[in-house]
PDB file of all heavy atoms in Angstrom:
ATOM      1  N   GLN A  99      91.129 115.917 154.621  1.00 92.00           N
ATOM      2  CA  GLN A  99      89.973 116.821 154.211  1.00 92.00           C
ATOM      3  C   GLN A  99      88.842 115.939 153.958  1.00 92.00           C
ATOM      4  O   GLN A  99      88.971 114.859 153.274  1.00 92.00           O
ATOM      5  CB  GLN A  99      90.396 117.676 153.030  1.00 92.00           C
ATOM      6  CG  GLN A  99      91.254 118.939 153.440  1.00 92.00           C
ATOM      7  CD  GLN A  99      91.526 119.760 152.153  1.00 92.00           C
ATOM      8  OE1 GLN A  99      91.458 119.358 151.024  1.00 92.00           O
ATOM      9  NE2 GLN A  99      91.491 121.024 152.362  1.00 92.00           N
ATOM     10  N   HIS A 100      87.698 116.375 154.305  1.00 90.00           N
ATOM     11  CA  HIS A 100      86.476 115.694 153.898  1.00 90.00           C
ATOM     12  C   HIS A 100      85.354 116.747 153.732  1.00 90.00           C
ATOM     13  O   HIS A 100      85.460 117.739 154.261  1.00 90.00           O
ATOM     14  CB  HIS A 100      86.088 114.477 154.728  1.00 90.00           C
ATOM     15  CG  HIS A 100      85.755 114.972 156.208  1.00 90.00           C
ATOM     16  ND1 HIS A 100      86.729 115.210 157.031  1.00 90.00           N
ATOM     17  CD2 HIS A 100      84.556 115.095 156.712  1.00 90.00           C
ATOM     18  CE1 HIS A 100      86.139 115.585 158.300  1.00 90.00           C
ATOM     19  NE2 HIS A 100      84.897 115.519 158.007  1.00 90.00           N
ATOM     20  N   THR A 101      84.351 116.350 153.057  1.00 91.00           N
ATOM     21  CA  THR A 101      83.199 117.418 152.843  1.00 91.00           C
ATOM     22  C   THR A 101      81.927 116.853 153.621  1.00 91.00           C
ATOM     23  O   THR A 101      81.655 115.661 153.677  1.00 91.00           O
ATOM     24  CB  THR A 101      82.789 117.335 151.392  1.00 91.00           C
ATOM     25  OG1 THR A 101      83.925 117.674 150.450  1.00 91.00           O
ATOM     26  CG2 THR A 101      81.627 118.422 151.060  1.00 91.00           C
ATOM     27  N   ASP A 102      81.309 117.799 154.346  1.00 90.00           N
ATOM     28  CA  ASP A 102      80.254 117.332 155.072  1.00 90.00           C
ATOM     29  C   ASP A 102      78.887 117.466 154.257  1.00 90.00           C
ATOM     30  O   ASP A 102      79.041 117.691 152.932  1.00 90.00           O
ATOM     31  CB  ASP A 102      79.936 118.239 156.295  1.00 90.00           C
ATOM     32  CG  ASP A 102      79.660 119.783 155.928  1.00 90.00           C
ATOM     33  OD1 ASP A 102      79.411 120.106 154.771  1.00 90.00           O
ATOM     34  OD2 ASP A 102      79.781 120.560 156.874  1.00 90.00           O
ATOM     35  N   ALA A 103      77.758 117.179 154.822  1.00 90.00           N
ATOM     36  CA  ALA A 103      76.524 117.006 154.085  1.00 90.00           C
ATOM     37  C   ALA A 103      76.111 118.412 153.397  1.00 90.00           C
ATOM     38  O   ALA A 103      75.378 118.383 152.398  1.00 90.00           O
ATOM     39  CB  ALA A 103      75.347 116.622 154.977  1.00 90.00           C
ATOM     40  N   SER A 104      76.532 119.523 153.992  1.00 92.00           N
ATOM     41  CA  SER A 104      76.228 120.800 153.395  1.00 92.00           C
ATOM     42  C   SER A 104      77.144 121.304 152.284  1.00 92.00           C
ATOM     43  O   SER A 104      76.961 122.274 151.726  1.00 92.00           O
ATOM     44  CB  SER A 104      76.053 121.857 154.504  1.00 92.00           C
ATOM     45  OG  SER A 104      77.379 121.959 155.108  1.00 92.00           O
ATOM     46  N   GLY A 105      78.187 120.443 152.003  1.00 92.00           N
ATOM     47  CA  GLY A 105      79.172 120.905 151.026  1.00 92.00           C
ATOM     48  C   GLY A 105      80.385 121.539 151.496  1.00 92.00           C
ATOM     49  O   GLY A 105      81.138 121.960 150.715  1.00 92.00           O
ATOM     50  N   ARG A 106      80.357 121.852 152.817  1.00 94.00           N
ATOM     51  CA  ARG A 106      81.580 122.495 153.289  1.00 94.00           C
ATOM     52  C   ARG A 106      82.881 121.571 153.459  1.00 94.00           C
ATOM     53  O   ARG A 106      82.598 120.408 153.615  1.00 94.00           O
ATOM     54  CB  ARG A 106      81.194 123.153 154.728  1.00 94.00           C
ATOM     55  CG  ARG A 106      80.054 124.059 154.635  1.00 94.00           C
ATOM     56  CD  ARG A 106      79.806 124.642 156.137  1.00 94.00           C
ATOM     57  NE  ARG A 106      79.634 123.560 157.004  1.00 94.00           N
ATOM     58  CZ  ARG A 106      79.560 123.578 158.275  1.00 94.00           C
ATOM     59  NH1 ARG A 106      79.639 124.780 158.963  1.00 94.00           N
ATOM     60  NH2 ARG A 106      79.381 122.471 159.166  1.00 94.00           N
ATOM     61  N   THR A 107      84.064 122.176 153.291  1.00 95.00           N
ATOM     62  CA  THR A 107      85.188 121.371 153.559  1.00 95.00           C
ATOM     63  C   THR A 107      85.772 121.523 154.904  1.00 95.00           C
ATOM     64  O   THR A 107      85.903 122.532 155.480  1.00 95.00           O
ATOM     65  CB  THR A 107      86.288 121.808 152.538  1.00 95.00           C
ATOM     66  OG1 THR A 107      85.756 121.539 151.168  1.00 95.00           O
ATOM     67  CG2 THR A 107      87.533 121.022 152.676  1.00 95.00           C
ATOM     68  N   LEU A 108      85.947 120.260 155.578  1.00 95.00           N
ATOM     69  CA  LEU A 108      86.437 120.268 156.942  1.00 95.00           C
ATOM     70  C   LEU A 108      87.907 119.764 156.784  1.00 95.00           C
ATOM     71  O   LEU A 108      88.085 118.541 156.320  1.00 95.00           O
ATOM     72  CB  LEU A 108      85.640 119.318 157.769  1.00 95.00           C
ATOM     73  CG  LEU A 108      84.366 119.788 158.414  1.00 95.00           C
ATOM     74  CD1 LEU A 108      83.353 120.154 157.256  1.00 95.00           C
ATOM     75  CD2 LEU A 108      83.718 118.817 159.334  1.00 95.00           C
ATOM     76  N   THR A 109      88.874 120.566 157.149  1.00 96.00           N
ATOM     77  CA  THR A 109      90.263 120.299 157.044  1.00 96.00           C
ATOM     78  C   THR A 109      90.876 120.034 158.477  1.00 96.00           C
ATOM     79  O   THR A 109      90.562 121.004 159.286  1.00 96.00           O
ATOM     80  CB  THR A 109      91.007 121.306 156.263  1.00 96.00           C
ATOM     81  OG1 THR A 109      90.497 121.622 155.074  1.00 96.00           O
ATOM     82  CG2 THR A 109      92.544 120.885 156.038  1.00 96.00           C
ATOM     83  N   VAL A 110      91.557 119.023 158.680  1.00 95.00           N
ATOM     84  CA  VAL A 110      91.994 118.631 159.999  1.00 95.00           C
ATOM     85  C   VAL A 110      93.501 118.519 160.069  1.00 95.00           C
ATOM     86  O   VAL A 110      94.055 117.866 159.103  1.00 95.00           O
ATOM     87  CB  VAL A 110      91.373 117.326 160.625  1.00 95.00           C
ATOM     88  CG1 VAL A 110      91.922 117.099 162.014  1.00 95.00           C
ATOM     89  CG2 VAL A 110      89.917 117.526 160.595  1.00 95.00           C
TER      90      VAL A 110
END
Side-chain angles (χ1 to χ4, degrees):
Q99 284 189 326
H100 63 281
T101 304
D102 66 9
S104 62
R106 302 177 305 171
T107 299
L108 282 63
T109 307
V110 182

